[in-house]
Structure formats: C-alpha cells, structure tokens
Amino acid sequence: MNDAKRTQSIATGKRQVSLRLKGYLVYGLLTTFAVVLAIFIFYQKKVLLEQFDNLQRLYDVEIGLHNADVRVLNAIEIQQVNLRGVDFQVGAEHVQEHLQQLLIASHKIISSSIENSAEITELFAALDTTRARPNQSTLENLSRTLEKTKRVIEQRLEESRLQRKKMVADFHERSNDVALISLSLGFFSLILLGSIIAVFFSRMARDLILLRQRGQEIIQGKRGKPVPIRRNDEVGDLANAINKMADDLDQHEKNLELERQKNFHREKMAVMGTLTAGIAHEVGNPIAAISALVQEVIDEKITGKCPYMDESDICKLHMVLDNTQRLGNITREISGLVQPQSEKFELFDLNALIRNTCNLMRYDQRWKRIQVDFHLDKNLPALNGISDQLTQVVMNLLVNALDAIEASTKTKSHIIISSVVDDEYVCLSIDDNGQGMDKLTLKKATQEFFTTKDRGKGTGLGLSLCNSIIVAHRGRLEIRSTAAKGTVVRVYLPLTIELMSEVAK
C-alpha cells in the first residue's frame, strides 16, 4: 500500500504537459523547421542568382573582349594589306578615313574592354600621332601598338574564359550542395518526425495496454503493484486514477473485512453467551445440589444428628463446598464476559474491564508461566465508550504479548499492565519482554493482513482492528518496540468524549 502511495504521488501534482500541448509543440517545431528550411532555400537561391548575374556580366565582358579582338585584328589586316605601300599624297583621304574608324572603334569597343590599361593609352597616343603625321613610320608604330593591344585582349579574354569556367563550376557545385542539403534536411525531418511519432504512439500503446491489464486485474480482484506513472499528460492522469481506484477498493475491502471481523466477533460472542448460559444453567443445577447436600451433612454433624463423622470428615466436606463455590464463580465469570454487551457509548470502569479480561485470560496455560504485574490508577475516572469493543482490544493486545513472550528464549517473562491519567487522556499500557519487533516490522504492525505469525496462528487483523476501534473512540494507539528486548503498547482514550448513541463504526 505504501508503494502504491509512493507511485501515486508522482502524478498527484498539476499536469505539466497535456497531449494537446504536445501536439501544439510538435506542430510548432515542424512549422519552425519549415520556416528555417524555407529561409535557407531562399538565401541559397539569392546566392545562386547573384552568381548567375556575375556569370552573365562576365559573359558580356567576354563578348566585348571578343569583339575588340576581332576589331583589332581587322585593323591590323587593313594596315598590313591595304595600307602597305600606299601613296600618302594620293591616298591621304583613305588613310584618314581608316584612322577615323579605328579611333571610333577604339573608343566604343576596344577601350571599353581593356579600360584603365597602359596599352589603351598607348594606342590612343599612336592614333593621334598617326593622324597628325600619316606616314609609313607612324603606321608601322600603330601596327605594333595594335598587335600589343591584341595580345592584351587575348590575355584578358583567356582570363575571362578561365574565370567563367570557374564561376560555372562554382554555380553547379553550389546548386548541387543546395539540392543535396535540402533533400538531406527533408529526409532527416521525415525520419525524425516518423521516429517521434513511432516512439510517442508506441509508448502510449504500451501504457494503454498496461492500464487495460491493470483494469482487468482489478476486476478479477487482484490488486498487485500499481501501474508505474512515467507521463505527465492525460494518460498519466488515467494511470493515477486507476491506481487510486485500486487503492480505494483495496482499502474499502479491508474496511469491509474489519467490519466482517467485528460482526463475526459479536455474533460469536452472542452464540457463546447463549451456549455459556445454557452450560452454566446445566452445570449450576448439579453444583447447587452438591452444595446443598454437603451443607446439609455439615449442619447435621453440627446438630449431632450424624455422630459417625469426625473433624477430618468435616474438613473434607468444607473442601468440597469451597470447590463447588469456585466452579460457580467460574461459570458466572465466563457468562458475564461472553454475554452480549451494549453497542452504544456508555460510561465504564477501565480498571474493572482490565481485571475481567485478565480473569478470562488466566485460563490460557501460558498465562500461568508469566509474571503479571498490575499498576492501575485507583483514582481513574469513568470513560465513555463501548466496553465490549475495548475488551476485544485488551484481549488482542494481551494475546499478542503472550505470543511474543512464547517466541522469545528468555527464562523469566513478565507483563506489566498499567493505567494512568495523562493530560486529557487515560493511558492503558501493556509492557512485555518478549521477542520485540525490528523497525520494518514495527512500521507495518498496524497494516491490514500483515502478520509475522505462522500460517493458521494469525490473520494480520488483530492490531488493525484494535487501531480502528481506538480511532472510533477518538483515541490513538502507540507502539514502541525493540528487537530481542520487548514491546510497549499504549492506548490513549479521551476523557472529554461526548456520549454518542450511534454504534461505533
């Protein structure tokens, strides 16, 4: 039962995470992952677009370099083929036209392709010189400058091609990386989501199966161990409720068993009272006849009607008379103890109750081998309670003391019974030097159906029943025990309890 309470306490607090909240959390995580993945894809798209724009610009530059290269090559061919050996007096106009076109092409095509370079400055200088003094020498100088410019353009064109290839390779590599990362993240998210769903529903299915099995065990009357609570959601609440229901049912059944034992005790005492009354009547008649006959013989001797008897015969007759009186007293004591008592709270004398119970206990053979000391307060006030139930309490405590002493190996055994007023309570104490109890046994002593006695000698309901009766009288039961030394049981009954007309529950 304590294990059940400890397990139940795990989920008695406020629910931390409900199934709905778990669903919202998963939805939020999926949404966050989708947003992060979308941001990553758009960022990589932006980078790829920038690389594509750079590639496009490089391609335009390469086209310009190619056009400049073609234009320079064309100018070199014109100079080498058409202007070689020309008569500058006759063909000056033709030469100036060629130079003007080359100047325009240099500004529009060549300079835009290799701007901010020494070669283009040198080309413009050669053009200006040739236009100012068109002769064979300046044309040859212009041709050399054009060839140098062509080599620079070809070099720039080769560098542009290499850069373009590198940019294309980078573009393909990045696009492949983005595709691979996106697919990897997608597969990872699917695997992670599938794993979470599989673990979540497998755990839920396992817990629900345990709850179903636990419910079937409860229906079959098997209490067993409580369901371990590992969740803080609605399933955990359900497991906690089932554990609590099992504990409540177990406690209810134990209470029913205690009530059954009480009813059984009352019915047994009623039957014993009826049987004892019949036996007392049947035994009482012969005892009364024997006593009357013996008394008559003694009277006849005293009056002289029976001269054949001496004093020794008179002593024997007195012994017979004493034993008949003793038999009568025993039958009256047993009848008084077992006759049905009132089930209402009434005033009673605790000391008298103790003595009467001990008088009944003296017929137990073990009682004769034990020294019993009484320390009863003569000024003890009357108490309010059900004497029959409290007689059962005293008798159970004395039987437990006798069992503990019987199980010990001590040669001298004793029981000390005392009563005293303690503040607002009357304390009944029963002290024995039996085998005692260890801490674990003492902790479970008042639990229902817990017993250390052999099978058939105890049901485990004695102390539990005593405790329930004492609690019903608004008192308390205290037990102090040390293994191999003995046990002290104290029963505290209140002095101020009100008279109640209902039966103690």
Side-chain angles (χ1 to χ4, degrees):
M1 183 175 179
N2 290 335
D3 294 337
K5 291 182 178 179
R6 283 195 296 270
T7 306
Q8 177 182 335
S9 64
I10 298 175
T12 53
K14 185 178 180 180
R15 185 194 309 149
Q16 297 178 1
V17 183
S18 65
L19 291 176
R20 179 179 296 178
L21 182 57
K22 288 181 179 179
Y24 287 155
L25 288 175
V26 173
Y27 178 76
L29 290 175
L30 289 177
T31 303
T32 303
F33 177 80
V35 171
V36 171
L37 183 61
I39 292 173
F40 171 78
I41 292 175
F42 280 110
Y43 173 75
Q44 295 299 329
K45 178 183 177 182
K46 179 182 177 183
V47 173
L48 289 173
L49 288 176
E50 290 178 354
Q51 287 186 342
F52 182 79
D53 292 338
N54 294 333
L55 188 61
Q56 184 66 36
R57 284 193 294 270
L58 187 60
Y59 184 73
D60 294 338
V61 170
E62 190 174 339
I63 291 175
L65 288 172
H66 182 72
N67 292 333
D69 183 59
V70 172
R71 191 69 184 88
V72 171
L73 180 61
N74 186 34
I76 292 172
E77 290 177 350
I78 289 174
Q79 287 187 200
Q80 290 179 353
V81 176
N82 297 331
L83 298 181
R84 182 180 297 274
V86 69
D87 185 0
F88 291 96
Q89 296 293 331
V90 178
E93 184 178 354
H94 178 66
V95 172
Q96 290 294 335
E97 182 180 356
H98 166 69
L99 293 175
Q100 182 65 29
Q101 292 178 356
L102 182 58
L103 180 62
I104 295 172
S106 297
H107 279 290
K108 291 184 177 181
I109 300 175
I110 299 174
S111 64
S112 62
S113 300
I114 55 172
E115 57 183 354
N116 299 328
S117 64
E119 288 76 9
I120 195 64
T121 304
E122 186 178 353
L123 178 60
F124 284 138
L127 277 172
D128 292 338
T129 303
T130 304
R131 288 179 65 195
R133 296 188 304 274
N135 54 43
Q136 193 66 35
S137 177
T138 55
L139 285 174
E140 289 177 359
N141 182 45
L142 179 59
S143 297
R144 288 192 297 272
T145 304
L146 287 172
E147 289 176 356
K148 187 186 295 185
T149 304
K150 185 177 184 302
R151 287 194 295 272
V152 172
I153 292 174
E154 288 176 350
Q155 182 181 359
R156 297 258 182 115
L157 184 60
E158 184 64 24
E159 292 176 354
S160 177
R161 288 171 181 170
L162 292 176
Q163 187 178 2
R164 177 170 58 83
K165 289 181 180 180
K166 183 176 181 303
M167 291 184 68
V168 169
D170 290 342
F171 180 83
H172 285 295
E173 183 179 0
R174 179 173 285 274
S175 61
N176 291 334
D177 291 341
V178 171
L180 181 61
I181 292 174
S182 299
L183 289 175
S184 299
L185 289 175
F187 281 119
F188 175 76
S189 62
L190 289 176
I191 293 173
L192 180 61
L193 179 61
S195 300
I196 292 174
I197 292 175
V199 171
F200 177 79
F201 283 104
S202 63
R203 286 190 58 195
M204 179 178 288
R206 180 193 63 191
D207 294 337
L208 291 176
I209 291 174
L210 288 176
L211 293 178
R212 183 188 64 186
Q213 294 175 349
R214 180 63 173 152
Q216 292 175 348
E217 290 176 354
I218 294 173
I219 293 174
Q220 295 172 0
K222 301 176 182 178
R223 296 296 173 256
K225 295 182 178 179
V227 178
I229 300 174
R230 307 184 184 93
R231 308 173 65 100
N232 291 319
D233 52 18
E234 287 82 355
V235 179
D237 290 344
L238 179 60
N240 183 40
I242 290 178
N243 289 337
K244 188 175 184 303
M245 178 183 68
D247 292 340
D248 292 343
L249 286 174
D250 184 59
Q251 186 61 41
H252 182 67
E253 289 175 353
K254 291 176 179 178
N255 292 336
L256 288 177
E257 179 63 19
L258 288 175
E259 291 300 321
R260 190 184 71 82
Q261 290 289 334
K262 291 180 183 179
N263 292 331
F264 175 74
H265 172 74
R266 285 192 291 267
E267 293 174 359
K268 181 176 68 175
M269 294 300 288
V271 172
M272 288 181 61
T274 303
L275 181 61
T276 304
I279 294 175
H281 177 73
E282 295 296 328
V283 173
N285 290 335
I287 289 174
I290 294 172
S291 178
L293 290 174
V294 171
Q295 186 63 45
E296 183 179 354
V297 173
I298 293 174
D299 292 341
E300 287 180 354
K301 174 60 180 175
I302 294 173
T303 57
K305 295 181 179 181
C306 187
Y308 303 103
M309 296 181 63
D310 54 18
E311 292 297 327
S312 62
D313 294 331
I314 295 297
C315 290
K316 293 177 181 178
L317 290 175
H318 278 293
M319 290 177 62
V320 173
L321 188 61
D322 291 340
N323 280 283
T324 56
Q325 292 176 352
R326 183 167 175 264
L327 285 173
N329 291 333
I330 291 174
T331 56
R332 283 192 295 272
E333 287 178 359
I334 295 176
S335 291
L337 286 172
V338 299
Q339 67 180 359
Q341 303 292 326
S342 173
E343 289 295 328
K344 297 181 180 181
F345 274 71
E346 296 176 348
L347 293 176
F348 69 95
D349 184 357
L350 180 61
N351 289 340
L353 185 146
I354 295 172
R355 291 191 186 94
N356 292 335
T357 307
C358 291
N359 287 335
L360 183 62
M361 291 295 299
R362 75 173 185 267
Y363 297 110
D364 191 325
Q365 295 299 319
R366 297 175 297 177
W367 189 269
K368 299 178 181 179
R369 300 191 297 268
I370 298 172
Q371 179 182 351
V372 182
D373 297 328
F374 293 91
H375 300 286
L376 304 180
D377 188 355
K378 297 180 180 179
N379 298 321
L380 201 69
L383 295 178
N384 187 28
I386 303 176
S387 59
D388 182 54
Q389 293 184 0
L390 294 174
T391 299
Q392 185 179 0
V393 170
V394 176
M395 187 176 296
N396 284 338
L397 296 180
L398 290 175
V399 169
N400 288 341
L402 290 175
D403 292 338
I405 291 174
E406 185 180 20
S408 68
T409 58
K410 297 178 181 178
T411 56
K412 294 183 179 181
S413 303
H414 69 264
I415 295 176
I416 301 175
I417 305 173
S418 61
S419 63
V420 66
V421 177
D422 185 358
D423 197 12
E424 296 181 352
Y425 291 87
V426 170
C427 176
L428 164 64
S429 176
I430 299 177
D431 185 355
D432 68 76
N433 64 340
Q435 65 177 353
M437 295 179 284
D438 55 27
K439 292 183 179 180
L440 181 61
T441 305
L442 181 60
K443 187 176 181 180
K444 298 180 179 180
T446 57
Q447 290 184 12
E448 298 89 345
F449 304 103
F450 175 79
T451 181
T452 57
K453 299 177 183 178
D454 296 335
R455 188 173 182 179
K457 292 186 177 180
T459 61
L461 290 173
L463 283 177
S464 176
L465 184 61
C466 292
N467 188 56
S468 66
I469 292 174
I470 294 168
V471 171
H473 284 74
R474 299 184 184 178
R476 68 179 187 272
L477 176 67
E478 293 184 0
I479 304 174
R480 297 179 183 178
S481 183
T482 304
K485 290 186 178 181
T487 303
V488 178
V489 181
R490 290 189 176 93
V491 178
Y492 290 90
L493 297 173
L495 289 170
T496 58
I497 187 170
E498 297 178 357
L499 288 172
M500 293 179 288
S501 59
E502 67 270 13
V503 177
K505 296 182 180 179

